Amino acid sequence: MRLLDIILFTGQTLGRHRFRSAMTLVSMAIGVAAVLTLTGLGEGARGYVLGQFSFLGTDTLIMFPGRKETTGGMPPVTGSAARNITLEDTQTMARLARGVDQIAPLVVGSAPISYESRSREAVTVGTTAAFFSIRGIKMKRGKSLPDIPMEQAKNICIIGETIKTELFGNLPAVGQWLRVSDRRCRIIGLTEGRGDAFGMDLSDAVFIPVASAQSLFDTEALFRVFFKIKANASLAQVEKQLINIMRDRHQGELDVTLVRPDAMISTFNDLLLMLTFAIVGIASISLLVAGILIMNITLISVNQRTSEIGLLKAIGAPAGQIRMLFLTEALLLALIGAVGGVIIGETLIFAGTKFFPDIPFYTPYWAILSALGVAFLTSAVFAYLPANRAAKLEPVIALTAK
Amino acid sequence: MPELNQKMIELRNICRTFYLGDQAVRALNQVNLRIEQGEYISVMGPSGSGKSTLLNAIGLLDRPDNGEYIIDGINTSVLDEEQRAHFRRDKIGFVFQSYHLIGRLNARENIALPMVLAGVPPKQREVAVEQVLAKLGLTDRAHHLPKQLSGGQRQRVAIGRAILMSPSILLADEPTGNLDSKSGAEVIEVLEQLNQQGITLLVVTHDLSLGKRAQRRIKMVDGKIAEDISR
Ligand SMILES: Nc1ncnc2c1ncn2[C@@H]1O[C@H](COP(=O)(O)OP(=O)(O)OP(=O)(O)O)[C@@H](O)[C@H]1O
Ligand SMILES: [Mg+2]
């Protein structure tokens, strides 16, 4: 039998039972769309979370006060009642730890800022020049923080683009004096982009030297310390050194936590992949259901068309051809349904990227291919039984069936 | 009829027994039969005497449990399922009492079916189908669905399908059983015309006047050939 004839013949059969065929198509389409959409959601979530950490690279360590299990897990937002990490700690680590390329202490708070008559509250970050290089923050105008000793305060600041627009509009900001709380700082630079990570929008922040921030917020305590490791140094060794230094300085008690972003990232990655597989697994059940539905439809078709099967055999169709015709019928349904499902799924994912542009929803090719493959395979497996039953019918018996 | 004496079909001691529970029904009981190419045979006999079973055996639709069946010099017992199917397709045409047309296909498509199954290219198919339609006077009914045709027309479509592959033998099991006498006579005339063009024709019928038209009349009783009369 010619391929086109096979398709025409089965197409005519399916067209005769439009409602039945349509329901099967819909169930298959829903199954495939569910698998694809959920994969897309999972992959989107994974991409989003990983994207949040990716700027850190694999050569970065983050220290925060308080003791938490380090392997993976989010850093706690507030350190438990532990000893603070101070600037002296940071300086000691910078001096003693070999393998540390750059070190950036961080103090974060909120302060009222104003320029002329305009004022607002802004996230104020006290840090050093190293922070900009570790986090890859680029300057749009002006300069980054100067390389001054950590303990030295200076009345300078760098602002993000949002703040610049809100306070200065189109006027140049670099060189102007910005009031931060009760101090005046000269704006020396303007950062580029949002650089948002950890849910922090850096275009909406003001950066000042870390010592200035400590005096502004009247605190010794550092919020975080960022380390960038030398290219040839071992992360594990540096980690050990830093821990030892901190333990020594805190009278033998380890009350800081060091986080390796790459460990964190891979933990997140594993977790999110597992989550994706789990929801896709659940969604696959709908594919299975669609496969069973196809088996039922084929069974009904075989039963209703028993005398037709007899006729086809009488006019020269061998068992194999009968089996092939019924399998084609099932696979045609599966294929059309699955393609419909891919279109629906991709449309949903596309809509998702429009509504949530920050989240990189996407269905990987393996997901599309395996959804199609699974749809096809389950249908073939499930339809084989009834198709084979049709093929094995005795022509005389089949002919006399009503 | 130049090929009349060429031996074509031979049944030797054909038996077919059906079992209903522990009761055996001998539908064919040691049937011996020789049919020459181009013969016109009617098969008559009481209901349940084995007429259909005989036709099914000749048509390779059914396997006898015993005996030998030779067609075109081939012992059919050596054929496997697929070979039997292809034998039916190429050499045997069937016409049934209930037409067995496929309802969703129109007359032309029903007639074309054997060639579709055989994978004959559409161009070639079209030519053959067109010829058959013309032969049976169905050209203007080509696009009608079976339900839009009269009984006689339906049976002519079924005959068209049976002769599309130019089989050497045509087996008709009560082809007029569902028809009034006028359409029945028309259908028989069509079959007889085909026989005159050389096809071997076996017709099972309960209608004595139709049965008498055949050159050779076989009467079945209890799975045996009780009479075999040639004119
Ligand atoms: N598939 C079957 N299973 C059981 N018994 C069968 C089967 N087919 C035929 N028979 C029996 O075999 C015998 C012959 O049947 P067959 O159909 O050949 O008769 P027939 O001469 O064609 O009768 P009719 O004139 O009613 O068509 C009958 O007794 C019938 O009941
Ligand atoms: Mg009968």
Side-chain angles (χ1 to χ4, degrees):
Chain A
M1 222 173 148
R2 302 166 79 83
L3 184 66
L4 192 67
D5 286 330
I6 296 171
I7 292 169
L8 275 176
F9 188 83
T10 45
Q12 270 166 326
T13 316
L14 296 178
R16 193 151 154 78
H17 301 284
R18 264 178 228 120
F19 184 71
R20 199 161 86 186
S21 305
M23 291 327 283
T24 318
L25 287 186
V26 165
S27 74
M28 185 50 87
I30 288 174
V32 170
V35 167
L36 292 190
T37 312
L38 291 177
T39 316
L41 284 179
E43 284 295 292
R46 193 165 69 95
Y48 178 74
V49 171
L50 296 189
Q52 295 296 296
F53 294 104
S54 63
F55 66 91
L56 289 167
T58 53
D59 55 355
T60 313
L61 287 171
I62 303 171
M63 183 181 280
F64 51 89
R67 182 77 204 128
K68 283 273 154 81
E69 274 315 308
T70 50
T71 37
M74 281 289 277
V77 175
T78 51
S80 47
R83 238 162 310 206
N84 294 327
I85 305 173
T86 61
L87 264 190
E88 290 80 65
D89 293 332
T90 311
Q91 284 164 320
T92 310
M93 287 189 284
R95 201 170 60 238
L96 296 182
R98 273 166 296 129
V100 173
D101 185 25
Q102 284 176 310
I103 186 162
L106 213 66
V107 173
V108 177
S110 181
I113 59 169
S114 60
Y115 175 73
E116 293 183 339
S117 61
R118 270 164 286 198
S119 65
R120 55 165 291 186
E121 282 279 320
V123 173
T124 305
V125 180
T127 188
T128 62
F131 182 71
F132 292 81
S133 112
I134 293 174
R135 292 201 48 171
I137 303 170
K138 297 213 171 58
M139 305 306 295
K140 192 173 176 192
R141 295 241 194 296
K143 291 183 303 231
S144 175
L145 286 175
D147 248 331
I148 52 174
M150 284 182 197
E151 70 280 3
Q152 188 184 329
K154 208 171 175 195
N155 290 334
I156 50 173
C157 67
I158 290 168
I159 58 173
E161 281 186 83
T162 307
I163 292 193
K164 145 81 168 75
T165 317
E166 282 182 21
L167 294 190
F168 296 90
N170 290 329
L171 297 172
V174 175
Q176 302 298 322
W177 287 91
L178 181 74
R179 180 166 282 278
V180 179
S181 193
D182 56 349
R183 316 179 178 202
R184 272 155 43 90
C185 332
R186 186 183 286 282
I187 299 171
I188 59 162
L190 180 60
T191 61
E192 186 180 295
R194 293 162 56 85
D196 57 342
F198 291 127
M200 211 197 257
D201 180 359
L202 296 183
S203 76
D204 208 17
V206 173
F207 300 90
I208 56 179
V210 61
S212 306
Q214 280 183 320
S215 89
L216 180 69
F217 297 122
D218 192 24
T219 179
E220 282 253 274
L222 297 178
F223 177 62
R224 296 276 184 277
V225 183
F226 284 71
F227 304 87
K228 188 180 167 102
I229 309 306
K230 281 184 180 143
N232 54 3
S234 130
L235 206 61
Q237 258 167 28
V238 174
E239 215 176 333
K240 207 185 288 170
Q241 284 181 53
L242 294 176
I243 294 285
N244 286 338
I245 294 168
M246 285 311 289
R247 190 184 279 134
D248 283 352
R249 289 186 59 84
H250 287 181
Q251 286 80 45
E253 200 187 326
L254 181 58
D255 55 4
V256 297
T257 303
L258 255 187
V259 172
R260 283 162 73 159
D262 65 333
M264 209 158 74
I265 286 171
S266 79
T267 309
F268 269 119
N269 193 18
D270 292 351
L271 204 75
L272 290 166
L273 260 182
M274 250 164 59
L275 204 69
T276 303
F277 283 138
I279 54 177
V280 167
I282 293 167
S284 305
I285 293 174
S286 57
L287 274 184
L288 202 73
V289 170
I292 292 171
L293 199 65
I294 283 189
M295 173 165 82
N296 268 312
I297 293 291
T298 313
L299 204 60
I300 292 171
S301 190
V302 168
N303 284 337
Q304 282 185 348
R305 288 157 61 202
T306 305
S307 91
E308 178 184 323
I309 294 165
L311 183 267
L312 291 176
K313 291 195 157 197
I315 63 175
Q321 202 165 27
I322 302 285
R323 183 165 40 231
M324 180 271 295
L325 280 174
F326 279 94
L327 274 180
T328 308
E329 212 174 296
L331 290 184
L332 209 61
L333 278 178
L335 184 71
I336 299 172
V339 168
V342 170
I343 293 170
I344 295 171
E346 289 291 85
T347 310
L348 287 176
I349 290 296
F350 180 75
T353 58
K354 287 290 150 203
F355 284 117
F356 305 97
D358 287 348
I359 303 180
F361 295 114
Y362 102 107
T363 355
Y365 279 105
W366 60 259
I368 297 179
L369 286 180
S370 52
L372 284 176
V374 168
F376 225 69
L377 218 73
T378 46
S379 313
V381 167
F382 281 114
Y384 186 85
L385 238 71
N388 202 39
R389 191 165 135 172
K392 290 246 165 81
L393 281 172
E394 282 297 330
V396 178
I397 308 267
L399 271 168
T400 50
K402 217 25 290 115
Chain B
M1 278 173 245
E3 294 176 355
L4 192 69
N5 290 323
Q6 184 203 325
K7 187 171 81 178
M8 213 208 129
I9 284 178
E10 184 164 6
L11 307 184
R12 289 188 203 138
N13 287 324
I14 292 291
C15 293
R16 182 71 166 108
T17 308
F18 294 106
Y19 295 92
L20 291 169
D22 49 350
Q23 196 192 347
V25 180
R26 300 208 143 205
L28 293 179
N29 191 358
Q30 302 219 313
V31 171
N32 288 290
L33 183 63
R34 253 169 97 124
I35 302 171
E36 313 292 335
Q37 175 66 48
E39 276 196 283
Y40 175 12
I41 303 171
S42 66
V43 182
M44 300 187 69
S47 186
S49 57
K51 305 181 296 292
S52 296
T53 309
L54 177 68
L55 233 64
N56 291 338
I58 294 173
L60 290 173
L61 277 181
D62 196 19
R63 272 178 194 276
D65 342 286
N66 246 318
E68 284 192 332
Y69 170 27
I70 295 144
I71 176 167
D72 279 0
I74 296 167
N75 190 332
T76 57
S77 61
V78 303
L79 302 178
D80 66 17
E81 191 270 339
E82 188 173 355
Q83 287 169 321
R84 285 163 66 91
H86 289 161
F87 218 98
R88 289 196 292 270
R89 184 184 72 195
D90 299 332
K91 308 226 161 164
I92 299 161
F94 291 96
V95 178
F96 305 97
Q97 176 174 356
S98 52
Y99 326 123
H100 277 298
L101 298 178
I102 294 183
R104 59 183 181 278
L105 305 180
N106 65 28
R108 174 195 296 278
E109 291 164 336
N110 266 293
I111 291 176
L113 215 46
M115 284 197 169
V116 170
L117 294 176
V120 174
K123 281 253 164 60
Q124 214 173 309
R125 223 152 69 196
E126 242 165 72
V127 175
V129 171
E130 221 51 59
Q131 274 175 6
V132 166
L133 282 168
K135 203 177 206 170
L136 297 171
L138 287 167
T139 308
D140 56 342
R141 292 285 182 274
H143 296 286
H144 287 55
L145 290 175
K147 64 171 181 232
Q148 300 165 324
L149 297 171
S150 74
Q153 288 167 335
R154 286 184 209 182
Q155 196 58 298
R156 293 215 301 268
V157 172
I159 294 171
R161 181 181 62 199
I163 61 168
L164 182 73
M165 299 291 283
S166 316
S168 48
I169 179 165
L170 195 54
L171 304 173
D173 195 349
E174 300 188 43
T176 62
N178 282 4
L179 301 175
D180 58 65
S181 52
K182 186 169 165 285
S183 339
E186 275 171 24
V187 162
I188 283 294
E189 267 160 40
V190 169
L191 293 176
E192 287 173 355
Q193 262 174 34
L194 294 167
N195 171 249
Q196 265 146 39
Q197 289 157 17
I199 203 166
T200 309
L201 178 62
L202 259 88
V203 182
V204 171
T205 181
H206 283 290
D207 186 329
L208 191 62
S209 63
L210 290 182
K212 276 185 173 165
R213 295 167 68 129
Q215 303 155 337
R216 184 176 171 191
R217 287 169 8 213
I218 290 174
K219 189 176 174 196
M220 303 270 312
V221 177
D222 288 340
K224 283 182 180 289
I225 293 178
E227 272 177 35
D228 188 343
I229 306 165
S230 296
R231 282 195 269 157

